Structure formats: structure tokens, C-alpha cells
């Protein structure tokens, strides 16, 4: 990493400022998750790469959970597809043959599992491959400003091309222009090939995870930022490389999360909305509302893509199955379940219900965006800003990277960040609930998203706490005393 890049970082919203002092020797206590609680600059620790970040010493439970997720989640996605495709999105119905069987032998279960799978199709493979290559070309060649990520544990500050907004616009204009405008292909092509696409995406998700694992061992982009545990399963799931790249700028994390994943979200909704129109002759108000709420979330993501570079996905997570398969399969197939549901079960919302759900969604978005903006603002201005009309209250922290250098950063302790440590998650949960509520209240399947988001965000609170304690040590303790609640005051 060139010195030049690090210096440019301070010019564009970077929170951290290098002081390049010699840091004092510190002990390396670990927390319950095995994360290092303090950083070190001793030669030995530096060589061992001991800094904050992903766990290294993992327990049997830490290994068992990823093993179970990798073995079951792909089937869970297939199960949901099967429930929608064959049973009008009734989640319990696919289990009927199993429950009716005289005896549950491994053979019966295996037969039932195979029966749930969609058929692999040539069209699915071609569409998925074309989609991936098209998004890769947009990511690589569309112009856009350069944003900078957070300083990594090894002291790198990486540049990213922030061209997601133009990729989103170009993709949607081309897709809906070519299908609805020029009739080159049906706008329902995604809906029509959903099963084949699911198989192709799964194959790619597994391939990508294994590729990331092999790349990390044999041709890593930034060797000093790799984290190895004693378990292949753990490393495969959570990833080893922090920022795998092809060349200097093709970043696996930003690309896979943003492009095949998040760009696809609104495109899939559009395709399913057209399918609903073809089925019943109009698009229901529930589908319109769902599309607005999802589009708001997606456009916000790209509008603020530079901000995303400073979120946990980019700043903490390594690239393995969790992000690789998750972005390729889980995100496009599970986050869009409501639009699948609404094609099979069109819902016309009453006006009061419609207004309530709209209000909840917009309220959630307001919270989500305001909280995230406050953090961005305080770090961009180095604390010289007003939060809720008053000078920002913050803790100036120190942390040390594995090259032994000392840096400073800010932890905001007023505004929303003084209410709780993750009030942005409250906003996100409100939007997520509104998205699910567009489907009415008769089925469980559309509510999968809010259940999942709740589990995901609760897990992130724990992981982030361990990470920040490792990075900031006593400063994090100080922040914790000032802001004791993690999510909601007086509740959690
Ligand atoms: P945050 O944006 O809250 O980022 C947490 C990081 O911010 C910490 O690791 C720390 O990093 C820094 N930080 C913590 N406390 C403070 C503080 N008081 N002042 C300043 N900086 C602080 O979390 P996420 O990355 O999880 O989430 C980002 C957004 O994305 C959220 O709104 C979330 O709801 C949403 N999200 C959506 C998901 C989805 O699938 N739809 C999934 C996950 C998140 P450091 O100090 O190192 O900079």
C-alpha cells in the first residue's frame, strides 16, 4: 500500500489520522470470542499479525455453527423456492409428504429433499453468467469517484471505485428499456427462470467461497491482513483474506455485495411485478409499496456507497462463504421473498393499512439514514460539527495497527449515538418490518426477512462489540459507560 494512498485518505471523509508514533508495548488479553482485546506493536506480535479483528482461536461451537449453516442454508433457500413454486408460498405445505410417510428412513428423506430442488437449466446458467459478467464490466469500466475504506488492522487504507449508482441506473434502463420498450426479451425473464437461476447462483456461490479460500492461501492480495484459525471450516465460512482483489481496484467484497447482490434486488422486484400484472391484469398497491420501500433502501445504498466503505461488511468481515455465497444466493433469493409471495398471492391493502405501513417504512428510513449520517459527519469534520443543534460530544480514541503505528479516531457519544450504540439498527428493523407487512398478515413466509434481520443484527451487535473492544480497548469501555444501551434504551 503506498504512502500516497494513505495520505489521500485523510482528504475524503476518512475518520482516522495517522500519528505514526511508536506505540507502547501492550499485553494481549482475549475476550470470550477469542478476539484480541488490546493491540500490540511488539516485534513478535507484529510478525504474528496480532491486532483486532476476526477471531483466530476458535472453539468447537465456533466451528460447528458455520458447518451447520453451510450444510443447511442452501437447502433452506431451495425449500422457500419450492414452497412458493409449488404451494403458493405456504411454508408448511412442502412438509406434508414427509409427515404422511409411514416411516422416516434416510431414503425417504433424501427422496423428499431431491424432490424440492429446482431443475438446473441452460437458460439459468446463461442468464446468471451473463448477469455476472455484465455487472463485472460495469464495475470495472464505469467511471466514478474513488472512495477510501477504513484503515485495516495491518494499516492499509484501500481505494474503491464508487460507481454503484451509475451501475444501478444503467442496468435498470437497459433491462426495462430492452424488455418493456423494445420487446427484445420478456420483462418476466427473471421470474420465469427463477429455479434455474437459483441452481446457477448456488454453484457460483460455492465456487466463489472455495476460490476465495484457495486465493487466500496461494495468491493473497494483502497477506498481512489475512486471518487464519486452526479450522478449515471456520476459515472457509468467515474467510481468510480481508480484501481480496483482482488487480488494484476490483474488490470482491464491494463487487459481490453491491452488484450481483443489491443491484439485482430491485430488478427482481420489477420482473415479479410484471409477472403479477400478466397474471391478474394490474399491479397491486402492495407490490407498488414493496417496490418503493425496497428501491428506497437500494438507491440509498448506492447514493451513499462511499459510506458503505465504513460499515462492518467492509471494515470487519473477511471474504468467505458468509459474504461470497451470501451475496450470490441469500441476498437476491431471500431478500426478495415478498415479491415472489405477491405474485402468487396478490394482496390489495386497505387505505389505512397502506398508510400505516408506508409511515412505518419512511419512519424507519429516516432513523436509519439520520443515525448513519451523524456518524459520517462527526468523523468527516473531525468532531467539529453540530449534532441535534449542539456541539458533538465524542471520545477521541487511539488504536494501533499491526505495523506498530498509532492512530486516532472518534466515537460519537451524542445524538442517536448517545441514545444507544446501534440505533441505526432500530431504523433498519422498522423498514424491514414494513417491507414484510406489505404482504398482509396471513402467511409466515414474507415475514422471514424481519426474523432474519433481527437475528443478523443482534449477532452483529455482539461481533461489533468484540471488534471495537479489540480495536479501542479502554476507550470502548469508556464509550460503553457513557452509552450503556446497545439497541434500545431501557430494553437492551
Ligand atoms: P455501523 O454502521 O453501526 O458500524 C459499526 C462501526 O462503526 C463500528 O465497528 C465502529 O467502526 C464504528 N462505530 C461504532 N460506534 C461508533 C460511534 N459511537 N461513533 C462513530 N463510529 C462508531 O454498523 P453496520 O456496518 O453493521 O451497519 C451499517 C448499516 O447497514 C446499518 O444501518 C445497518 O442497519 C445496515 N445493515 C443492513 C444489512 C442488510 O442486510 N440489509 C446488513 C447489515 C447492516 P470503526 O470505529 O472501526 O470505524
Amino acid at each position: 500500500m503506498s504512502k500516497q494512498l494513505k495520505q489521500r485518505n485523510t482528504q475524503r471523509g476518512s475518520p482516522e489520522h495517522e500519528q505514526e508514533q511508536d506505540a507502547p508495548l501492550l499485553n494481549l488479553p482475549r475476550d470470550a470470542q477469542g478476539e484480541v482485546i488490546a493491540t500490540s506493536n511488539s516485534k513478535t506480535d507484529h510478525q504474528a499479525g496480532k491486532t483486532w479483528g476476526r477471531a483466530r482461536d476458535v472453539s468447537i461451537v465456533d466451528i460447528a455453527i458455520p458447518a451447520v449453516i453451510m450444510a443447511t442454508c442452501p437447502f433452506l433457500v431451495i425449500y422457500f423456492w419450492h414452497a412458493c413454486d409449488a404451494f403458493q408460498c405456504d411454508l408448511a405445505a412442502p412438509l406434508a409428504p414427509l409427515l404422511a410417510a409411514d416411516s422416516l428412513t434416510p431414503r425417504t428423506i433424501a427422496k423428499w429433499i431431491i424432490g424440492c430442488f429446482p431443475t438446473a437449466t441452460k437458460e439459468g446458467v446463461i442468464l446468471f453468467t451473463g448477469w455476472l459478467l455484465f455487472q463485472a464490466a460495469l464495475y470495472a469500466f464505469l467511471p466514478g469517484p474513488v472512495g477510501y475504506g477504513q484503515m485495516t488492522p495491518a494499516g492499509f487504507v484501500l481505494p474503491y471505485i464508487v460507481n454503484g449508482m451509475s451501475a444501478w441506473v444503467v442496468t435498470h434502463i437497459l433491462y426495462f428499456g430492452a424488455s418493456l420498450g423494445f420487446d427484445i426479451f420478456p420483462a418476466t425473464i427473471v421470474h420465469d427462470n427463477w429455479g434455474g437461476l437459483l441452481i446457477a447462483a448456488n454453484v457460483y456461490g460455492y465456487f466463489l467461497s472455495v476460490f476465495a479460500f484457495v486465493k487466500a492461501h496461494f495468491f493473497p492480495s494483502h497477506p498481512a491482513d489475512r486471518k487464519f484459525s486452526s479450522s478449515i471450516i471456520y476459515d472457509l465460512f468467515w474467510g481468510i483474506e480481508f480484501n481480496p482483489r483482482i488487480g488494484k481496484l476490483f474488490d470482491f467484497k464491494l463487487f459481490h455485495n453491491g452488484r450481483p447482490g443489491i443491484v439485482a434486488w430491485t430488478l427482481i422486484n420489477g420482473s415479479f411485478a410484471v409477472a403479477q400484472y400478466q397474471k391478474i391484469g394490474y399491479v397491486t398497491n402492495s407490490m407498488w409499496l414493496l417496490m418503493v420501500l425496497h428501491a428506497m433502501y437500494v438507491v440509498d445504498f448506492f447514493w451513499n456507497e462511499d459510506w458503505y466503505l465504513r460499515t462492518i461488511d467492509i471494515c470487519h468481515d473477511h471474504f468467505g462463504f458468509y459474504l461470497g455465497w451470501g451475496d450470490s444466493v441469500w441476498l437476491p433469493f431471500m431478500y426478495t421473498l415478498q415479491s415472489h409471495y405477491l405474485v402468487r398471492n396478490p394482496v390489495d391493502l386497505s387505505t389505512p393499512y397502506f398508510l400505516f405501513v408506508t409511515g412505518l417504512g419512511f419512519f424507519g428510513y429516516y432513523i436509519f439514514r439520520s443515525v448513519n449520517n451523524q456518524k459520517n459527519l462527526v468523523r468527516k469534520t473531525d468532531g467539529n460539527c453540530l449534532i441535534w443543534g449542539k456541539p458533538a460530544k465524542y471520545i477521541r480514541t487511539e488504536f494501533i495497527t499491526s505495523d506498530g503505528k498509532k492512530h486516532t479516531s472518534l466515537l460519537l457519544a451524542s445524538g442517536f449515538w448517545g441514545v444507544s450504540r446501534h440505533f441505526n439498527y432500530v431504523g433498519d428493523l422498522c423498514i424491514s418490518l414494513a417491507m414484510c407487512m406489505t404482504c398482509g398478515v396471513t402467511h409466515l413466509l414474507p415475514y422471514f426477512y424481519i426474523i432474519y434481520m433481527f437475528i443478523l443484527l443482534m449477532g452483529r451487535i455482539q461481533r461489533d462489540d468484540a471488534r471495537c473492544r479489540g480495536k479501542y480497548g479502554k476507550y470502548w469501555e469508556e464509550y460503553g459507560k457513557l452509552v450503556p444501551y446497545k439497541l434500545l434504551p431501557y430494553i437492551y
Side-chain angles (χ1 to χ4, degrees):
M1 179 69 201
S2 73
K3 182 103 178 169
Q4 204 184 2
L5 285 179
K6 285 186 187 173
Q7 283 162 348
R8 284 174 70 185
N9 173 52
T10 53
Q11 295 163 8
R12 201 170 194 282
S14 165
E16 289 150 358
H17 311 275
E18 279 186 81
Q19 293 188 341
E20 305 209 359
Q21 301 165 4
D22 284 333
L25 286 175
L26 296 170
N27 290 326
L28 289 165
R30 285 170 183 276
D31 65 13
Q33 282 82 37
E35 306 244 357
V36 177
I37 291 178
T39 54
S40 167
N41 76 332
S42 80
K43 206 68 186 159
T44 338
D45 289 339
H46 179 200
Q47 279 157 358
K50 283 181 179 172
T51 49
W52 78 88
R54 205 206 75 176
R56 289 158 192 278
D57 302 327
V58 293
S59 68
I60 189 80
V61 178
D62 296 327
I63 299 166
I65 293 171
V68 170
I69 293 176
M70 284 193 284
T72 57
C73 277
F75 180 68
L76 190 68
V77 184
I78 284 166
Y79 182 88
F80 274 73
W81 170 83
H82 184 53
C84 279
D85 192 60
F87 300 97
Q88 299 276 105
C89 295
D90 181 340
L91 256 190
L95 291 170
L98 266 193
L99 299 175
D102 292 338
S103 63
L104 277 185
T105 61
R107 201 181 140 84
T108 333
I109 297 173
K111 220 174 131 190
W112 174 78
I113 289 177
I114 291 166
C116 293
F117 271 65
T119 313
T121 60
K122 198 172 73 186
E123 290 79 9
V125 174
I126 293 170
L127 279 175
F128 186 79
T129 313
W131 167 250
L132 210 58
L133 294 177
F134 177 61
Q135 287 306 318
L138 293 184
Y139 181 73
F141 299 118
L142 275 183
V146 174
Y148 289 87
Q150 205 80 305
M151 188 169 290
T152 71
F156 296 111
V157 180
L158 299 180
Y160 294 82
I161 301 180
V162 180
N163 60 6
M165 194 67 225
S166 18
W168 185 83
V169 171
V170 168
T171 303
H172 284 70
I173 290 179
L174 286 183
Y175 183 89
F176 290 105
S179 57
L180 297 176
F182 293 97
D183 235 355
I184 296 172
F185 55 83
T188 53
I189 195 167
V190 176
H191 165 270
D192 301 343
N193 289 283
W194 202 232
L197 281 166
L198 176 54
I199 294 293
N202 257 300
V203 171
Y204 180 71
Y206 272 96
F207 163 78
L208 184 62
S209 313
V210 174
F211 177 77
F213 182 84
V214 172
K215 178 179 175 320
H217 277 91
F218 298 107
F219 45 104
S221 304
H222 305 100
D225 261 323
R226 287 178 301 173
K227 295 262 163 79
F228 294 94
S229 74
S230 47
S231 158
I232 291 179
I233 292 176
Y234 191 89
D235 287 350
L236 189 63
F237 183 81
W238 286 114
I240 297 168
E241 271 202 273
F242 196 32
N243 294 295
R245 291 187 162 201
I246 294 174
K248 282 213 173 347
L249 286 175
F250 197 96
D251 186 85
F252 277 42
K253 267 202 263 185
L254 187 61
F255 172 68
H256 283 100
N257 188 53
R259 308 314 159 71
I262 294 187
V263 171
W265 198 342
T266 39
L267 195 109
I268 293 164
N269 280 342
S271 181
F272 277 71
V274 176
Q276 189 195 56
Y277 179 82
Q278 289 183 354
K279 189 173 167 192
I280 60 170
Y282 69 103
V283 177
T284 58
N285 62 357
S286 51
M287 183 67 104
W288 280 116
L289 180 54
L290 176 70
M291 284 198 290
V292 168
L293 293 176
H294 278 173
M296 184 167 74
Y297 200 74
V298 166
V299 171
D300 174 273
F301 175 90
F302 289 120
W303 190 258
N304 297 289
E305 200 176 16
D306 188 64
W307 151 80
Y308 178 66
L309 304 178
R310 288 175 286 283
T311 63
I312 294 175
D313 286 352
I314 298 284
C315 305
H316 182 59
D317 289 332
H318 290 237
F319 192 82
F321 183 91
Y322 173 74
L323 286 179
W325 179 85
D327 293 339
S328 310
V329 182
W330 190 262
L331 197 164
F333 289 85
M334 297 303 262
Y335 284 23
T336 55
L337 277 175
Q338 295 99 5
S339 57
H340 305 198
Y341 175 87
L342 289 173
V343 174
R344 271 119 194 158
N345 306 276
V347 174
D348 293 306
L349 302 173
S350 69
T351 305
Y353 185 92
F354 181 91
L355 291 176
F356 175 75
V357 177
T358 308
L360 180 66
F362 277 80
F363 169 74
Y365 176 73
Y366 167 75
I367 300 283
F368 165 86
R369 182 47 37 220
S370 312
V371 183
N372 290 325
N373 280 348
Q374 285 186 350
K375 173 176 122 177
N376 233 10
L377 180 68
V378 79
R379 290 198 163 177
K380 225 173 192 160
T381 58
D382 195 29
N384 297 311
C385 60
L386 295 179
I387 298 288
W388 286 351
K390 292 188 186 144
K393 194 169 144 194
Y394 56 83
I395 298 170
R396 192 172 288 281
T397 65
E398 289 181 354
F399 65 96
I400 301 163
T401 43
S402 67
D403 53 10
K405 288 176 184 161
K406 191 190 272 187
H407 311 267
T408 64
S409 186
L410 296 182
L411 289 175
L412 178 60
S414 61
F416 286 114
W417 295 85
V419 175
S420 81
R421 291 182 230 167
H422 285 281
F423 208 73
N424 47 358
Y425 291 175
V426 174
D428 212 333
L429 289 171
C430 291
I431 310 174
S432 306
L433 180 61
M435 290 168 179
C436 301
M437 288 179 74
T438 57
C439 298
V441 289
T442 54
H443 280 66
L444 181 62
L445 182 135
Y447 286 82
F448 174 81
Y449 184 65
I450 178 71
I451 297 168
Y452 163 73
M453 280 300 281
F454 185 75
I455 296 168
L456 175 86
L457 296 178
M458 287 297 150
R460 271 169 102 95
I461 288 177
Q462 299 307 328
R463 290 201 295 130
D464 193 47
D465 189 57
R467 171 186 183 268
C468 290
R469 220 161 350 115
K471 183 174 179 182
Y472 297 124
K474 65 177 184 185
Y475 301 101
W476 189 249
E477 302 292 331
E478 203 183 312
Y479 175 59
K481 280 183 198 144
L482 275 177
V483 186
Y485 292 104
K486 291 179 177 169
L487 184 70
L488 267 183
Y490 306 108
I491 297 179
Y492 178 62

